[in-house]
Amino acid sequence: MTMPTLAAGLEDEIAPTGKLRVAIAISPAGGAFWSTKTATGYAGVPVDLGKAMAAQLGLPVEYVVHQNSGQITDAAGKGTWDVAFLPKDAERERKMSFGPIYEVADATYIVKPGSAVTNFATLDRPGVRVAAVNNTTTMRGAQAHLKNAEVIGYQTYDEIFNLLKNGEVDAFALSRDQLNAMAKKIPGSKVLDETFKKTVTAVAVPLGHPQSLAFVTKFMTDARTNGVLRRAYDNNGLKNTPIRTE
């Protein structure tokens, strides 16, 4: 395959260390944002997209591991990663530049086994403890949505999973597809039918990297039509998941 001609100076901007450093967050949640640790490295939609992007640049790829998207955001100005794939919101747009959206997910809540909560109205009451992954778009959305229940941030998906399973929190805010998968692992839990926000996931680069932004924008625009994005979904347990871009 003939490599595309890259803009002069792009490699120095997008990969100053000589490798394309892709920020990923590790969790068993799966989906279009989370990646997982495997016996040989990492797997996930961002892992596959980062590998394909590095190959197009003719560079090796390096994965920079975080516990959640909030940590990736906090590191955006520290020069520790070159590209990321993560949920986008207004707060994050002040810290990084986003390219095309490649996933739209419905955010809702799962309630603990034995809970009497059946909808948002019965969830949003004083004394109800709702967990969310700390400093994420979903956590900010839940804080805006719930007027009476307490939203508490935790660092990892695993921690919240165990708290919910043991009944130590009343609910967990996350995307519906991930919560549906979680419900299969926690008998008696229930995913609420309503949706409180739509979470959009997109490619991102640190601020002040115009050539990098132009490159990743073209890469993701092409990936939606040339099969790269579809293969990334299919390779990571999302064969039946349609690609939603808006």
Side-chain angles (χ1 to χ4, degrees), residues 200-220:
V200 297
T201 304
V203 65
V205 298
L207 292 174
H209 290 64
Q211 289 195 86
S212 300
L213 180 60
F215 174 79
V216 301
T217 295
K218 185 176 189 310
F219 175 87
M220 289 304 298

Side-chain angles (χ1 to χ4, degrees), residues 24-77:
I24 58 174
I26 299 298
S27 158
F33 160 65
W34 293 99
S35 298
T36 58
K37 183 76 173 71
T38 69
T40 56
Y42 304 101
V45 172
V47 172
D48 287 4
L49 292 175
K51 183 178 180 181
M53 187 178 287
Q56 187 166 320
L57 289 164
L59 295 170
V61 64
E62 177 182 323
Y63 299 106
V64 184
V65 175
H66 302 78
Q67 291 183 307
N68 57 55
S69 60
Q71 289 185 355
I72 295 174
T73 303
D74 290 341

Side-chain angles (χ1 to χ4, degrees), residues 141-199:
Q143 288 172 325
H145 173 242
L146 298 173
K147 308 305 180 186
N148 300 297
E150 180 184 9
V151 179
I152 307 167
Y154 297 90
Q155 281 296 94
T156 69
Y157 170 101
D158 286 347
E159 182 181 10
I160 300 173
F161 178 94
N162 290 323
L163 290 169
L164 187 79
K165 185 177 180 180
N166 296 329
E168 296 175 57
V169 294
D170 297 294
F172 180 13
L174 203 64
S175 68
R176 184 177 301 281
D177 56 344
Q178 292 162 341
L179 294 182
N180 285 337
M182 181 185 289
K184 296 176 182 178
K185 300 177 183 178
I186 306 180
S189 62
K190 174 180 172 55
V191 179
L192 301 184
D193 292 334
E194 298 155 289
T195 296
F196 70 85
K197 81 182 295 286
K198 291 191 181 296
T199 300

Side-chain angles (χ1 to χ4, degrees), residues 102-121:
Y102 69 91
E103 190 220 20
V104 181
D106 299 329
T108 187
Y109 308 95
I110 187 172
V111 296
K112 68 182 180 181
S115 175
V117 170
T118 57
N119 55 32
F120 287 174

Side-chain angles (χ1 to χ4, degrees), residues 112-131:
K112 68 182 180 181
S115 175
V117 170
T118 57
N119 55 32
F120 287 174
T122 52
L123 176 72
D124 193 15
R125 293 181 175 178
V128 174
R129 294 162 55 89
V130 178

